Amino acid sequence: MRHAKPSTIYLKDYRAPDYLVDNTHLHFELKPKATLVKSRLKIRRNPAAGEGLPPLFLDGVDLILLSIAIDGALLSPEHYEKMPQGILVSVDKPEFFLDIQTCINPEDNTTLEGLYLSNGMYCTQCEAEGFRRITFYPDRPDIMSKFTTTIVAPKEYPVLLSNGNEISRGPCEGDHHYVTWEDPFSKPAYLFALVAGNLQYLEDCFITASGRKVKLQLFTEEKNINKGDHALRSLKNAMRWDEAVYGREYDLDIFMIVAVDHFNMGAMENKGLNIFNSACVLASPETATDATFQRIESIVGHEYFHNWSGNRVTCRDWFQLSLKEGFTVFRDAEFSADMNSRAVKRIEDVSLLRTNQFAEDAGPMAHPVRPDSYMEISNFYTLTVYEKGAEVVRMIHTLLGPRGFRKGSDLYFERHDGCAVTCEDFVRAMEDASQIDLVQFRRWYSQAGTPQLTVTDYFDETLGTYVLTVRQSCPPTPGQREKRPFHIPLKLGLLDKNGNELVLDGQGTTQCVLEITEAEQSFEFTELSEKPLPSLLRDFSAPVKIDYPYSIDQLLFLMSNDSDTFNRWDASQRLAFLALSDLQQAYRTGGVLQLQPELIAAYRSVLLNRDLEPALVAELLQLPSEQSIAEASVHIDAEAIVAAREFALQTLAEALFGEFRAQYTALNVRKSFSLSAKDIAERKLKNTCLLYLCATETADALALAQEQFDTANNMTDKAAALSVLINHAGDKQAIAAIEQFYQCWKEDAQVVELWLGQQSRSSRRGNLSAVEKLIQHPAFDLKNPNRVRAVIGGFAKGNFSQFHRSDGSGFEFLADQVITLDKLNPQIAAQQVIPITRWKRYTGDLARKMKIALKKIMDSGDLSGDLYEVVSKSLN
Ligand code: TRP
Ligand code: ZN
């Protein structure tokens, strides 16, 4: 906990380490409250760091130091200095062995960093700075070492795992045994992992392109062993994909995945021993929704891809986090796109970016993809570093083309294999391989904020020339008032009045990428016989906001004619945003709420169009979420947003009841479950129809939901039915469904989390007192991040109307929870507080009440560094 204000760390202060650690030998004697950790480090003065023998700093947090020795000679206290965050050891030779013994307490470790216990299983989480909670160590990613790890534990923990290959095992005194692991690859401490427990495993194997056989193992508690097939299948697909697309093979003889219930994030790419949040790896058709299956595939891919983009080539310092995360998210997105529907994947990713990353860019924690400073690095595992970082890599891919990009990634991996490098190294490899100049492009790494493009056009009838003028600007962000122009790839096509693509050059090209580099720039297209309609920013070719004065008719036209699937969806969203903004305006001024007949007609034609893929129909029918409407507003008027969206949903549901009903019936056929893209799309469309039908709250519609709830043979359909019953059925029917579902699934952790989340996200039933009751429910546990995310996160991030109630009670509730949570798990506390940190964008009283809640946290006593950073920056 904090006693002084945590200090700020700056990228500009980076210095190479004074000492290197060539070898790290670890020896663990596991005990719940007193694990003994012995480490032997082979240390050497870093020749690149200058002269003399400065003292050696070792990070250490919450450790009991038992002994410390250099080359076998115990050090007395005058040879080292205890500091708040570690120890400073006097050094008198350039090379030596350092032996340290510490004692740690995994059972009481609720931070879920370092070594901790989850349901009786020992596990570790070392990224970013968790290794310093295991032993004193220079815990920074540019120190790479060869690790050997021995684990001693009672035989009730038959499975003892660490990174690399098992090299020996055997019995020890008194019902104990040991296993020793050796990792032949040098790695930073953040990639270290240890697992010990009574676990079962599934085993499979993979033959690499060069013919090596890799053993694949997935470990879980016995009761979950039937939920691992999908992850193993996804792993093999990911291994094959990385060979085919990037030419990258796996490099050890064994690859292990472990499922853990208590985990701060999704999963962790520890070398050869990935550790996963159970919710991101375990699935069966009866217990997991299609969205969960797809999330598992993408996260299994993500962690696997880190073996090259992260582990073989790692980060020099944590400011470079996007080097591995942005690149790896780009890799996993392309993998998912290749495995499923490319268009749907892109639509989902862009929705996430626009709703949540744009909000981050416009809020008090806004930072560049490569931040310049931080107090707590855990606060920078953000949508900006991950998702915007991936968009930056995607833009490089667009500018270089697939072949240039592949040459660049080959060069990057070859040049930097085994090294800890920077974003600059990545960009330079891309430049060197392709001969394309990315000097100005680098600003994407250093400037925060979402650029805004404003496009106007002009057609000269007599000359047949069409001129597009593009202006760019970027709003100020904390610490960055002025922005210089970005290098923006703007992909576009031009449509004629029949919806055909115009040819843009002599080669028959119908799509081009304009490179925007200046604050204002014009582009001319010649020899056109009519004024075209531009289809701009196709496939979302850059993470920007783009404004063009489309009329409603033009948007309807794009929605049905654009050859770019993404832009067809985008046109539907623009239409909905226009309508919702009119509705908000009418609501605020006490006018009559009315939805344009054109919009209703457009939804009808989407529903009736038999040529459209069901996947796309389902996407086109989604109304923007309240959160995304909020993000798109200059001033957020929560009450008007809720009223407008509710009205639009009701109006569409009533006007198109027959069409929704017919589509639902056509798709609601009994068949055996499959995860094919087609079946997933059909379930999504069917359940979208069900939601609209039940929004009318008619007995007829609710009977369909009940029928689906009672008879579904998979969790996608079951959960969709439960959700509409919770949100639209009367008390008796809804409460019966909630209760019945719980009785059926209360032993299944993942389903219980889904059940908790649906209730706290329910605008109908998830009011504050209901959420307070959920917190008292035996299934709730403040020490389990998944439960916290389901209930507290579900309410604050997923229940827009109840959380933003005008009395501010939602904000005060969140503040109180965050204060309690901070004592247990600072990372989770800092994640959960985010919704009230964006108070400046809200209108009137809500802004004031959010700020009061923030102040309450600030004044509550000692805050963790994590929470202090977020709260203090947002009160600024
Ligand atoms: N590197 C992990 C990833 O794949 C992120 C991660 C997992 C993490 N657990 C963490 C980051 C705990 C901080 C703290 O994205
Ligand atoms: Zn990652």
Side-chain angles (χ1 to χ4, degrees):
M1 293 299 127
R2 178 181 66 96
H3 295 287
K5 186 167 163 277
S7 57
T8 300
I9 301 165
Y10 296 91
L11 169 57
K12 63 175 165 35
D13 293 341
Y14 173 83
R15 280 201 316 123
D18 289 330
Y19 293 91
L20 303 175
V21 184
D22 293 327
N23 292 289
T24 300
H25 283 264
L26 299 171
H27 187 280
F28 290 83
E29 290 170 26
L30 298 177
K31 273 195 204 151
K33 281 188 179 290
T35 289
L36 179 63
V37 185
K38 300 180 195 167
S39 80
R40 158 163 277 217
L41 312 180
K42 186 163 182 284
I43 294 189
R44 166 168 65 93
R45 177 79 170 113
N46 181 5
E51 300 292 307
L53 294 174
L56 164 66
F57 182 72
L58 303 172
D59 299 282
V61 173
D62 284 354
L63 302 172
I64 297 173
L65 178 61
L66 301 177
S67 69
I68 174 165
I70 287 186
D71 286 335
L74 276 178
L75 297 190
S76 52
E78 64 270 19
H79 288 105
Y80 59 91
E81 188 186 336
K82 288 200 175 170
M83 322 250 283
Q85 300 284 321
I87 51 175
L88 199 57
V89 184
S90 308
V91 174
D92 58 8
K93 39 190 154 184
E95 241 185 276
F96 53 91
F97 281 99
L98 182 68
D99 286 283
I100 297 178
Q101 296 196 20
T102 56
C103 180
I104 54 179
N105 183 344
E107 186 169 281
D108 293 344
N109 180 359
T110 57
T111 65
L112 313 187
E113 297 176 84
L115 179 69
Y116 61 94
L117 274 163
S118 172
N119 300 344
M121 163 188 355
Y122 289 90
C123 58
T124 53
Q125 172 54 40
C126 295
E127 188 178 2
E129 298 180 334
F131 193 76
R132 61 189 62 184
R133 293 173 171 274
I134 294 175
T135 185
F136 288 96
Y137 198 84
D139 187 8
R140 43 188 287 173
D142 55 354
I143 294 195
M144 300 175 78
S145 182
K146 285 212 168 90
F147 280 67
T148 308
T149 305
T150 298
I151 309 166
V152 180
K155 287 179 179 155
E156 307 94 80
Y157 299 88
V159 173
L160 305 177
L161 310 175
S162 191
N163 318 84
N165 305 308
E166 181 182 314
I167 54 169
S168 72
R169 69 161 64 225
C172 309
E173 291 170 24
D175 287 345
H176 282 54
H177 67 146
Y178 82 93
V179 178
T180 299
W181 293 83
E182 186 181 72
D183 183 352
F185 293 93
S186 268
K187 65 169 177 289
Y190 84 85
L191 290 171
F192 169 78
L194 174 160
V195 169
N198 183 6
L199 303 174
Q200 304 290 313
Y201 65 92
L202 296 175
E203 187 167 307
D204 206 329
C205 89
F206 181 85
I207 312 287
T208 67
S210 67
R212 277 188 321 101
K213 188 169 172 179
V214 181
K215 183 156 68 172
L216 312 177
Q217 294 179 321
L218 185 143
F219 294 83
T220 71
E221 293 170 66
E222 183 174 10
K223 64 173 195 246
N224 289 325
I225 198 68
N226 61 331
K227 290 171 130 196
D229 301 338
H230 180 66
L232 272 181
R233 191 166 48 241
S234 303
L235 175 60
K236 286 182 286 178
N237 287 337
M239 294 177 86
R240 197 159 298 116
W241 188 89
D242 213 17
E243 294 182 344
V245 179
Y246 283 83
R248 297 289 127 196
E249 267 191 31
Y250 187 61
D251 51 11
L252 284 164
D253 299 331
I254 180 166
F255 187 91
M256 297 172 282
I257 288 179
V258 183
V260 172
D261 280 351
H262 296 73
F263 207 71
N264 282 349
M265 307 269 282
M268 180 62 212
E269 70 265 24
N270 316 300
K271 183 78 187 190
L273 178 55
N274 287 0
I275 298 184
F276 275 65
N277 186 325
S278 300
C280 300
V281 62
L282 301 177
S284 66
E286 302 73 43
T287 61
T289 63
D290 294 340
T292 300
F293 277 103
Q294 292 188 323
R295 181 178 69 210
I296 290 170
E297 179 181 70
S298 83
I299 299 183
V300 167
H302 180 99
E303 306 311 331
Y304 174 74
F305 301 141
H306 268 316
N307 190 55
W308 277 96
S309 48
N311 301 2
R312 290 288 288 257
V313 181
T314 194
C315 301
R316 186 193 72 173
D317 55 73
W318 293 119
F319 297 102
Q320 319 296 331
L321 182 57
S322 197
L323 173 77
K324 72 178 178 80
E325 296 304 346
F327 187 20
T328 304
V329 172
F330 173 69
R331 278 151 59 68
D332 85 54
E334 287 295 293
F335 167 59
S336 293
D338 285 344
M339 295 292 125
N340 306 286
S341 158
R342 176 164 285 270
V344 170
K345 173 66 179 160
R346 191 68 187 135
I347 288 168
E348 288 168 355
D349 287 351
V350 173
S351 296
L352 175 74
L353 190 85
R354 279 183 178 155
T355 307
N356 297 305
Q357 195 281 324
F358 283 12
E360 196 165 276
D361 250 347
M365 286 289 287
H367 53 277
V369 166
R370 182 189 54 222
D372 306 305
S373 70
Y374 59 77
M375 291 181 190
E376 237 346 298
I377 186 57
S378 335
N379 286 326
F380 288 79
Y381 285 74
T382 57
L383 288 144
T384 300
V385 166
Y386 277 66
E387 311 301 324
K388 187 178 181 180
E391 294 299 323
V392 171
V393 175
R394 181 178 295 278
M395 288 190 285
I396 295 179
H397 187 274
T398 301
L399 291 168
L400 271 58
R403 293 177 71 207
F405 186 86
R406 171 64 193 270
K407 274 169 67 190
S409 70
D410 284 352
L411 180 60
Y412 169 72
F413 289 128
E414 191 209 338
R415 199 183 257 180
H416 301 298
D417 190 11
C419 299
V421 303
T422 61
C423 297
E424 171 59 27
D425 292 316
F426 180 79
V427 177
R428 192 165 325 114
M430 289 290 162
E431 267 179 334
D432 290 351
S434 68
Q435 301 301 318
I436 285 178
D437 180 341
L438 297 171
V439 171
Q440 183 181 353
F441 185 86
R442 282 167 171 76
R443 288 179 192 157
W444 282 107
Y445 286 95
S446 59
Q447 295 190 141
T450 307
Q452 166 84 50
L453 298 188
T454 306
V455 180
T456 52
D457 58 355
Y458 165 80
F459 183 65
D460 186 321
E461 303 249 350
T462 49
L463 297 172
T465 57
Y466 176 64
V467 179
L468 270 179
T469 300
V470 183
R471 290 184 190 81
Q472 62 162 308
S473 64
C474 182
T477 49
Q480 293 185 338
R481 288 214 57 76
E482 298 295 328
K483 312 288 165 110
R484 300 166 76 192
F486 289 87
H487 180 177
I488 300 169
L490 177 64
K491 195 183 284 186
L492 61 79
L494 301 177
L495 302 192
D496 72 13
K497 63 174 176 299
N498 301 315
N500 299 315
E501 303 272 318
L502 294 180
V503 175
L504 304 176
D505 61 11
Q507 275 81 61
T509 315
T510 58
Q511 180 166 279
C512 66
V513 177
L514 303 181
E515 298 195 25
I516 315 296
T517 53
E518 288 161 36
E520 180 175 337
Q521 229 168 329
S522 290
F523 300 87
E524 197 176 272
F525 300 87
T526 53
E527 294 174 44
L528 304 184
S529 55
E530 57 172 295
K531 180 172 183 179
L533 180 63
S535 163
L536 300 165
L537 201 69
R538 283 187 163 173
D539 203 32
F540 197 67
S541 63
V544 300
K545 295 184 181 177
I546 183 158
D547 184 42
Y548 173 88
Y550 285 117
S551 68
I552 290 189
D553 284 345
Q554 288 174 326
L555 289 172
L556 291 167
F557 187 83
L558 286 174
M559 198 172 146
S560 39
N561 292 293
D562 203 325
S563 66
D564 187 69
T565 313
F566 176 83
N567 266 7
R568 293 178 75 164
W569 171 78
D570 199 44
S572 78
Q573 296 295 292
R574 282 174 196 270
L575 274 171
F577 276 114
L578 286 177
L580 289 161
S581 145
D582 288 351
L583 289 170
Q584 282 191 66
Q585 178 64 19
Y587 179 82
R588 268 195 296 268
T589 55
V592 185
L593 273 63
Q594 218 179 345
L595 205 59
Q596 294 108 326
E598 299 94 320
L599 190 75
I600 299 174
Y603 273 70
R604 176 178 288 113
S605 73
V606 167
L607 256 172
L608 295 179
N609 188 336
R610 295 284 160 248
D611 298 333
L612 283 178
E613 281 180 61
L616 184 58
V617 177
E619 295 301 333
L620 291 172
L621 294 175
Q622 307 294 324
L623 278 178
S625 67
E626 287 133 333
Q627 209 52 251
S628 72
I629 305 168
E631 168 38 42
S633 323
V634 183
H635 296 292
I636 302 172
D637 180 343
E639 198 182 304
I641 289 173
V642 172
R645 189 178 189 281
E646 184 57 29
F647 179 83
L649 186 77
Q650 291 294 334
T651 309
L652 288 169
E654 280 163 27
L656 304 175
F657 192 87
E659 288 84 351
F660 282 123
R661 175 81 215 234
Q663 181 65 277
Y664 179 82
T665 309
L667 292 170
N668 190 34
V669 286
R670 265 208 101 53
K671 55 172 164 177
S672 60
F673 178 81
S674 116
L675 271 172
S676 68
K678 180 168 171 287
D679 281 11
I680 291 174
E682 289 183 355
R683 279 191 288 274
K684 183 156 186 188
L685 178 53
K686 175 180 73 176
N687 289 318
T688 302
C689 293
L690 183 66
L691 186 145
Y692 276 104
L693 290 170
C694 290
T696 63
E697 299 189 359
T698 53
D700 176 26
L702 289 166
L704 294 177
Q706 187 68 50
E707 168 78 12
Q708 180 170 321
F709 180 75
D710 292 338
T711 61
N713 67 353
N714 64 83
M715 186 49 81
T716 304
D717 288 341
K718 190 109 179 164
L722 177 65
S723 169
V724 296
L725 290 174
I726 291 178
N727 279 299
H728 300 291
D731 286 352
K732 192 159 165 266
Q733 193 182 8
I735 291 165
I738 292 171
E739 188 50 28
Q740 196 190 327
F741 190 91
Y742 183 68
Q743 287 312 324
C744 185
W745 294 110
K746 63 183 173 202
E747 302 303 331
D748 187 297
Q750 284 75 51
V751 184
V752 167
E753 278 147 26
L754 181 146
W755 177 83
L756 289 168
Q758 285 205 349
Q759 293 173 77
S760 75
R761 286 196 308 272
S762 166
S763 57
R764 169 82 167 265
R765 263 163 231 290
N767 59 18
L768 181 56
S769 65
V771 174
E772 279 169 333
K773 253 168 89 184
L774 279 180
I775 287 196
Q776 300 305 319
H777 193 279
F780 185 75
D781 177 4
L782 212 50
K783 291 184 184 165
N784 183 329
N786 290 353
R787 308 277 154 128
V788 170
R789 280 184 279 255
V791 178
I792 299 174
F795 180 61
K797 297 181 191 174
N799 193 342
F800 193 86
S801 60
Q802 296 289 354
F803 179 65
H804 293 97
R805 286 282 282 269
S806 57
D807 61 5
S809 55
F811 313 147
E812 189 175 357
F813 165 80
L814 183 64
D816 291 340
Q817 294 303 318
V818 163
I819 290 167
T820 315
L821 203 46
D822 194 41
K823 307 283 178 262
L824 299 169
N825 188 328
Q827 288 186 2
I828 300 298
Q831 280 174 19
Q832 293 302 318
V833 79
I834 295 297
I836 52 173
T837 61
R838 306 196 173 136
W839 59 275
K840 280 185 188 159
R841 293 188 61 195
Y842 285 79
T843 51
D845 237 21
L846 283 193
R848 199 174 54 82
K849 287 176 170 146
M850 283 186 186
K851 196 174 175 192
I852 291 172
L854 280 171
K855 284 217 178 100
K856 180 171 186 183
I857 297 173
M858 199 55 162
D859 298 340
S860 69
D862 275 351
L863 304 186
S864 68
D866 302 68
L867 187 57
Y868 177 83
E869 176 170 35
V870 177
V871 173
S872 64
K873 286 183 176 173
S874 58
L875 279 171
N876 255 338

